[in-house]
Amino acid sequence: MEEAVERIGTSCDETTIWRELTGFLLRVPCGAAAVELTGGSAGGRGLPPGRAAAAGDAAGLLDAPGGAAAAPHVLTLALTGRGEVYGRLLAARADSAFSADEAATVHFAARLACAHVGHARRLAATEKIALDLQRALVAEPGRPHPNLEVASRYLPLGSRALVGGDWFETVRLHFGRTLLVVGDVMGHGLEAAVDMNAYRSVLREVASTDLAPHRVLRQLDALSAADDERRPATCLIVRVDPARGTAAYASAGHLPPAVFTADRPGDLLDVPVGPPLGTGFGGYEAVALPFTADQTILLYTDGLVERRGEDIDTSLARLAALRMTAGCSVRDVVDAVCAGLDAQHAEDDVAVLAARLRNRPPPEGATG
C-alpha cells in the first residue's frame, strides 16, 4: 500500500493516473489489469467511454474468446468517487486465486486512483471556468471607429494554466478618435482576472470623459490606489486621431509600443514611462507622434517578448527585427508577430492589439 501511494497519482492527468493504477497492479498481484470507463460524467468532464488503460496480458486474460469469465481468476471492481461512477477495474491472473491481502491491495489501489481522478477532474473544471472567464473578458474589445482597423489576440499560458491579468480594450471617443489600451495585472488566477475586469471597467468610465491619455492614467491610478485589495498593473494607452494623422501615447510601467511599416524593420517608440497603476504615485506624461496610413501600431503584454534568462533589450530587439510584407492586413501583422516570437510557447500570458488607419473611399461624386 505504501508503494501504491508513491506510484499512483503523480500527475493531474487522468490518463496518467489510470495507467499508473494498472502498472502498479501488474507489478504486485496481477498478470493483467485494465480500466474501462463508462463516460457520461457530470458536466462532461473526464475521458470518453472505453478502455483508458491496460497492462500485462490483457488480450490473453481479459479479452480471450468467451470474455473475462473465461479467465481463471478475475476481480471486477467499480471505480467510483464522490458519488460519480467512472467505470470498472478488471484485474486478473492465471495461476491462482487472489488472497484476501492481495484483493485488499487491489481495492486500496483502485480507491486511491479514484480519489486522484476526482481531484484531477475538479481541477480541470475550475481551470476551464477560469479560462472561459478570461476569454469572455478579453476576446472582444469594444468597437473602434470605422476609420480604424483593429485586430487582437489573447493566448493563455499553457493549455491548463489559470488565467492571468492580461487585457486589451478599444474605446470610441468624439470626433472620430479611438482609444487603444493594453494592460497587465500582476499575478495569475481568478483574483488577477477580477482585478483586470475592474481596471477595464474603470477605464471605460474614465475614458468617456475624453481626457488626454496621461490624464486617463492619472485617474486610473488614483481610483485603483484607493482600493487596498487592488493589485498593481501596467498599462499603455494610445489615442488615435485619424483626422490629424497623430497618435498620443502614455505608459504606466508598460513595455514600449511598436510600429511596423511594410518591408521595414519595426520601430520601438520612445514613450515616457510612469509608475504602474495602483501605486498612487502618478507622474504620467504623453507624447504625440505622427501616424500614417502605411503604419500599424502594435501594443502587447510582456509575455510576448520576455524570455527567462534573457535581457529585455534583447527580447525587444527580436520584436523590432520583424518585417511585415506589403499588402498584409492588420490580422496578418498579429499572426506574423505571434509566429515570429513563438507566442504559443511563451512563458506568460500574451495579449496583443494592433491598429491601422482604414483607407476609406472618397464620397460618391467627389473629384480629385
Side-chain angles (χ1 to χ4, degrees):
M1 291 182 179
E2 291 179 357
E3 186 178 353
V5 172
E6 293 179 356
R7 292 183 174 273
I8 299 173
T10 64
S11 166
C12 286
D13 176 70
E14 182 175 343
T15 299
T16 300
I17 296 170
W18 294 131
R19 288 174 178 171
E20 289 172 346
L21 170 62
T22 56
F24 166 77
L25 293 177
L26 182 65
R27 286 174 51 85
V28 186
C30 301
V35 170
E36 296 179 348
L37 302 181
T38 56
S41 60
R45 303 190 304 271
L47 300 174
R51 181 163 290 182
D57 187 17
L61 296 178
L62 299 175
D63 301 330
H73 307 282
V74 178
L75 286 177
T76 302
L77 285 69
L79 296 172
T80 62
R82 292 182 175 265
E84 186 174 1
V85 178
Y86 304 138
R88 65 175 185 166
L89 169 67
L90 300 175
R93 67 184 186 189
D95 54 354
S96 61
F98 292 93
S99 68
D101 286 344
E102 290 171 334
T105 299
V106 174
H107 280 79
F108 175 80
R111 290 196 302 271
L112 181 63
C114 288
H116 284 297
V117 166
H119 174 73
R121 290 190 179 187
R122 291 191 299 275
L123 179 61
T126 300
E127 291 179 347
K128 183 179 184 304
I129 291 171
L131 188 55
D132 288 345
L133 169 64
Q134 177 78 339
R135 285 173 171 161
L137 291 172
V138 303
E140 292 295 336
R143 293 183 178 180
H145 281 284
N147 54 23
L148 200 64
E149 185 181 359
V150 170
S152 59
R153 183 76 46 81
Y154 169 70
L155 298 171
L157 172 62
S159 59
R160 297 183 56 128
L162 288 175
V163 297
D166 294 34
W167 58 284
F168 43 69
E169 183 61 279
T170 65
V171 182
R172 285 192 183 201
L173 303 175
H174 298 298
F175 309 114
R177 296 171 301 170
T178 296
L179 206 66
L180 307 174
V181 188
V182 65
D184 186 0
V185 178
M186 296 181 183
H188 288 83
L190 286 175
E191 293 84 0
V194 169
D195 283 346
M196 174 268 291
N197 192 42
Y199 276 110
R200 199 178 187 195
S201 298
V202 174
L203 166 77
R204 291 172 181 149
E205 181 178 349
V206 174
S208 66
T209 61
D210 212 0
L211 295 173
H214 65 293
R215 296 185 64 189
V216 172
L217 290 179
R218 190 183 304 164
Q219 291 280 351
L220 283 173
D221 178 54
L223 292 170
S224 302
D227 185 350
D228 293 336
E229 301 298 322
R230 186 78 53 84
R231 300 183 182 196
T234 65
C235 186
L236 177 64
I237 295 182
V238 184
R239 187 173 69 183
V240 177
D241 189 341
R244 297 183 177 181
T246 61
Y249 302 82
S251 173
H254 207 83
L255 292 175
V259 172
F260 291 97
T261 307
D263 297 325
R264 288 177 47 189
D267 292 318
L268 298 176
L269 303 184
D270 186 11
V271 177
V273 180
L277 300 176
T279 62
F281 295 142
Y284 304 105
E285 300 178 37
V287 59
L289 300 172
F291 183 32
T292 57
D294 62 341
Q295 295 178 322
T296 301
I297 294 175
L298 183 83
L299 314 182
Y300 54 92
T301 55
D302 55 9
L304 177 69
V305 294
E306 288 186 349
R307 298 296 180 264
R308 189 177 295 109
E310 181 179 75
D311 185 80
I312 187 59
D313 290 336
T314 302
S315 305
L316 292 172
R318 186 169 54 249
L319 170 63
L322 298 177
R323 288 174 176 261
M324 304 300 152
T325 59
C328 68
S329 67
V330 177
R331 185 169 297 278
D332 292 335
V333 171
V334 172
D335 290 341
V337 167
C338 290
L341 298 180
D342 194 21
Q344 289 288 350
H345 301 97
E347 298 168 2
D348 198 355
D349 300 335
V350 174
V352 178
L353 179 65
R356 179 189 300 166
L357 298 179
R358 190 187 299 273
N359 289 320
R360 307 187 70 185
E364 188 175 347
T367 58

